[in-house]
């Protein structure tokens, strides 16, 4: 076997088959491979520390509740961070079913996916760049990218992003080894990986663009046209499979939510936001900026311009010296970014489409694609031997030094940016709220929770009726119950502590003529009038009573019946009811005793002051 360098490309043709055959030993059993292991281990440790400070957030609570309250295959169609991710929903359902609200286990799933994706990236870089040290800074660029912080610290986004990215890299690896190893069966692996990736992230429908790019990079041929002919001819089943995936997605997406092409100015807003965000962080930025909310970053213009100039400089240098491979690499990136912006705009959600480009969850995809594009562009660039002032640098020495300096610069850049961003992603309010409430539930197993609202720091009011206590705590291991008639109904304060309920603006019952018993309640039932109509809305009806024996009674409010336990002695019972009534009926189930309803009032529930 012989190596045939082509414009600086380390291996092509039959020599490439030998590289592919070497597989994992070639990737790891070298000095560069050892450095790669250290990079991956450091990334795992770094992100473990960051996730150790983190916790579930609003999208996590919504997804956990959505999957837990569905049966069968309906689990796969649950709400998933405002999107559709059957694969992500399945993982959330499995992890939450195994250990609900267990953050260490949840974080471990994301870390495992991230580590697997980073290891796969190294294998892919090895296939694209051979034994060159330039693989190391590219691995650093991907492994430590602040672009992926949001999609790591937010659990459901981490499952979605890292699963799809891992599958993308598996597909890329399959295409590279299939072409260079002349094994067309690998095309089926690639098709299967992309199909699974679409189940995690619908924008994986753009992965065929990446696969086409890397296939062109790996194929033999002096021109792009010659490579294209080789790729189409060698892997027809790959392209047929990918076309079917894209077509199938388009049909299903159209049926689920028809796409509107009337975007007006929104497409421009998405393009601007997406590119500003991507450019600010493409080389380990943004370093600093404005964080008006934990889901958003407003980059500083000079940082965007600086990174843009650096990217354009790389495009210019590699295009001049890298030949066809550079054009293929950068072309792949341009087409992917254009397609991603188009998908964001066409599948946008009404007035939110203009801000989608500012969300880190959408920019994270650039980390892998930019890394692959750079690898392709650099694969055709050969470092020259240099001599200056009596000193001589060999090409390999110059490349090794450049790789070391670039790696160091990227690590420092990522460290600065991570220090700036990370504390905003720890979700401390969520952790304090949940852990305080769970501790209170463990301390008193008899309490019933009023299913009221939660503070904006836990779930944004934008989610409306879903921003409720049951969404956050409903799947907790303590198995809390909500809105049932109870002698111990409690509200959850904004800090997660439980509070007895006081009634604001109460509407009371009419005074009874029976001064000793109030309203006697027996098996025939007693109709109890209110002093005024209780308005529509959500109220707590408090019943004060006493009786001589335990038993059960039924409350009827405008046709809605509530069965509750009564206790011997003097007690007060709270029942969550809907307004719009002027009276209610109470019926005792046992004829052995009488229940005396001494007083009752319906009011707006408020937590008792401390």
């Amino acid at each position: 076997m012989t190596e045939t360098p082509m414009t600086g490309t380390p291996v092509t043709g039959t020599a490439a088959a030998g590289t592919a055959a070497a597989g994992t030993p070639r990737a790891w059993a070298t000095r560069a491979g050892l450095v790669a292991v250290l990079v991956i281990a450091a990334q795992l440790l770094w992100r473990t520390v960051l996730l150790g400070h983190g916790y579930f957030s609003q999208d996590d609570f919504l997804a956990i509740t959505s999957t837990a309250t569905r049966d069968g295959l309906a689990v796969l169609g649950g709400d998933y961070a405002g999107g559709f991710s059957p694969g992500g929903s399945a993982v959330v359902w499995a992890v939450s079913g195994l250990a609900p609200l267990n953050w260490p286990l949840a974080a471990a799933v994301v870390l495992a996916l991230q580590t697997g994706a980073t290891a796969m990236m190294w294998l892919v870089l090895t296939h694209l760049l051979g034994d060159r040290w330039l693989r190391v800074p590219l691995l650093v660029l991907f492994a430590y990218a602040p672009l992926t912080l949001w999609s790591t610290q937010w659990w459901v986004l981490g499952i979605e992003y890292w699963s799809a990215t891992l599958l993308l890299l598996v597909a890329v690896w399959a295409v590279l080894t299939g072409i260079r190893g002349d094994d067309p069966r690998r095309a089926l692996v690639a098709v299967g990986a992309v199909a699974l990736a679409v189940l995690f992230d619908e924008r994986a429908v753009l992965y065929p663009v990446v696969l086409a790019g890397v296939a062109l990079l790996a194929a033999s041929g002096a021109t792009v046209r010659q490579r294209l002919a080789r790729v189409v001819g060698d892997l027809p089943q790959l392209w047929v499979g990918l076309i079917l995936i894209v077509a199938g997605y388009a049909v299903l997406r159209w049926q689920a939510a028809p796409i509107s092409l009337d975007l007006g100015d929104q497409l421009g807003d998405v393009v601007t936001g997406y590119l500003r965000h991507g450019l600010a962080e493409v080389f380990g930025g943004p370093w600093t900026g404005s964080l008006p909310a934990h889901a958003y970053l407003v980059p500083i213009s000079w940082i965007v311009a600086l990174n843009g100039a650096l990217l354009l400089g790389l495009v210019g240098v590699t295009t001049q010296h890298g030949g066809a491979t550079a054009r293929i690499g950068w072309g792949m990136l341009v087409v992917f970014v254009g397609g991603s912006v188009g998908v964001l705009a066409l599948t946008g959600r009404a007035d939110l489409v203009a801000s989608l480009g500012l969300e880190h969850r959408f920019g994270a995809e650039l980390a892998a694609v930019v890394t692959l594009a750079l690898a392709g562009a650099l694969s055709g660039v050969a470092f020259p031997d240099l001599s200056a002032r009596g000193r001589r640098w060999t090409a390999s020495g110059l490349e090794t030094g450049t790789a070391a300096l670039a790696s160091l610069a990227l690590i420092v850049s990522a460290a600065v940016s991570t220090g700036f961003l990370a504390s905003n992603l720890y979700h401390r309010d969520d952790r304090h709220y949940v852990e305080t409430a769970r501790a209170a539930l463990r301390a008193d197993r008899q309490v019933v929770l009023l299913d009221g609202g939660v503070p904006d720091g836990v779930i944004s009011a934008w989610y409306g009726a879903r921003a409720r206590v049951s969404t956050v705590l409903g799947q907790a291991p303590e198995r809390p119950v909500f809105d049932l008639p109870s002698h111990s109904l409690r509200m959850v304060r904004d800090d997660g502590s439980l509070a007895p309920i006081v009634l604001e603006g109460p509407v009371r019952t009419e005074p009874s003529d029976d001064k000793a018993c109030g309203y006697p309640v027996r098996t025939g039932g007693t109709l109890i009038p209110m002093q005024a109509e209780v308005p529509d809305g959500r109220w707590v009806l408090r019943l004060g009573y006493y009786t001589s024996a335990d038993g059960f009674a039924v409350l009827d409010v405008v046709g809605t019946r509530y069965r509750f336990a009564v206790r011997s002695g003097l007690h007060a019972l709270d029942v969550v009811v809907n307004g719009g009534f002027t009276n209610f009926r109470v019926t005792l189930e046992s004829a052995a005793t009488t229940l005396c309803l001494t007083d009752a009032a319906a009011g707006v529930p408020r937590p008792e002051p401390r």
Side-chain angles (χ1 to χ4, degrees), residues 275-513:
L275 293 182
R276 279 179 59 85
H277 167 67
L279 286 174
E281 298 182 51
V282 67
F283 296 116
W287 310 317
T288 187
S290 174
L291 292 165
H294 61 231
Y296 296 95
L297 165 74
V298 179
I300 296 176
S301 295
W302 71 263
I303 294 176
V304 176
L306 177 62
N307 281 282
L310 180 57
L311 183 61
L312 288 176
L314 282 171
V315 171
V317 170
T318 54
T319 301
Q320 182 179 0
H321 298 284
T325 56
R327 293 193 296 274
I328 292 170
W330 296 122
M332 175 185 71
L333 178 61
V334 169
V335 174
F336 182 88
V337 169
S340 186
V341 168
V343 171
L344 282 174
L346 292 173
T347 61
R349 293 162 292 177
D351 57 331
L352 290 181
V353 70
S355 65
L356 291 179
L358 296 176
E359 292 194 57
H360 285 67
R361 62 182 291 186
F362 300 111
E365 64 186 7
L366 293 175
V369 181
V370 167
T371 302
L372 294 174
L374 267 171
L378 291 171
S379 66
V381 177
F383 280 73
D385 293 330
L386 290 181
S387 298
R389 295 184 179 181
R391 298 188 62 183
R392 183 175 180 274
W393 289 273
T394 63
S396 61
L398 186 60
E399 178 173 321
T400 302
T402 301
L405 290 175
S407 298
L408 179 61
L410 288 169
I411 290 172
V412 171
S413 177
V416 171
S417 298
T418 301
F420 164 63
L421 296 171
S423 62
N424 195 55
L425 301 171
Y426 289 158
H427 307 124
R428 294 188 179 98
D429 291 346
D430 304 78
R431 179 187 286 273
H432 181 75
Y433 182 89
V434 172
E435 291 187 347
T436 301
R438 289 183 59 188
L441 289 170
R442 289 192 295 271
D444 186 352
R445 300 284 185 176
Q446 301 302 312
V447 301
V448 173
L449 299 183
L450 180 74
D451 195 14
V454 296
D456 264 1
V458 178
I459 298 182
S460 170
W462 182 85
Y463 287 96
R466 291 183 293 171
R468 310 193 68 78
V469 175
S470 59
T471 302
V472 178
L473 296 172
Q475 307 308 313
E478 292 75 17
R479 297 301 180 194
V481 292
F482 301 89
D483 290 356
L484 295 180
S486 174
H487 297 86
S488 300
L489 187 65
R490 297 290 184 265
M491 289 189 72
V492 184
R493 293 191 178 101
D494 284 355
D495 65 355
S497 61
L498 305 188
I501 292 173
V502 296
L503 302 182
E504 182 179 277
V507 178
R508 301 186 181 280
T509 56
E510 291 282 4
S512 171
D513 294 334

Side-chain angles (χ1 to χ4, degrees), residues 75 145 556 592:
V75 167
D556 188 321

Side-chain angles (χ1 to χ4, degrees), residues 179-221:
I179 289 179
R180 290 183 169 172
D182 293 322
D183 184 1
R185 292 174 300 178
R186 298 290 175 91
L188 299 179
V189 175
V191 171
V194 173
L196 286 175
V198 172
L199 295 179
F200 283 94
D201 184 350
E202 62 179 347
R203 283 175 309 127
V205 73
L206 295 170
Y207 286 176
V209 173
V210 181
L211 298 187
V214 296
L216 289 172
L217 289 170
S220 59

Side-chain angles (χ1 to χ4, degrees), residues 38-48 111 114-115 118 142-144 162:
L38 295 177
V39 168
I40 295 171
Q43 179 215 38
L44 176 60
L45 177 61
W46 196 357
R47 291 291 173 92
T48 298
L111 288 169
Q114 176 184 258
T115 303
T118 309
F142 173 73
Y144 300 148
W162 286 112

Side-chain angles (χ1 to χ4, degrees), residues 2-98:
T2 60
E3 294 188 0
T4 309
M6 185 180 63
T7 323
T9 305
V11 285
T12 59
T14 57
T19 303
T24 301
R26 178 67 181 276
W28 305 107
T30 62
R31 286 183 297 171
L34 176 60
V35 173
V37 171
L38 295 177
V39 168
I40 295 171
Q43 179 215 38
L44 176 60
L45 177 61
W46 196 357
R47 291 291 173 92
T48 298
V49 171
L50 294 177
L51 281 168
H53 289 292
Y55 199 66
F56 300 103
S57 66
Q58 61 184 16
D59 288 320
D60 305 327
F61 298 131
L62 291 163
I64 290 169
T65 299
S66 178
T67 56
T69 53
R70 293 170 180 257
D71 296 321
L73 292 178
V75 167
L76 304 179
D79 178 24
Y80 199 89
F84 180 68
S85 176
S89 295
V91 175
V92 169
W93 174 81
V95 173
S96 298
L98 181 63

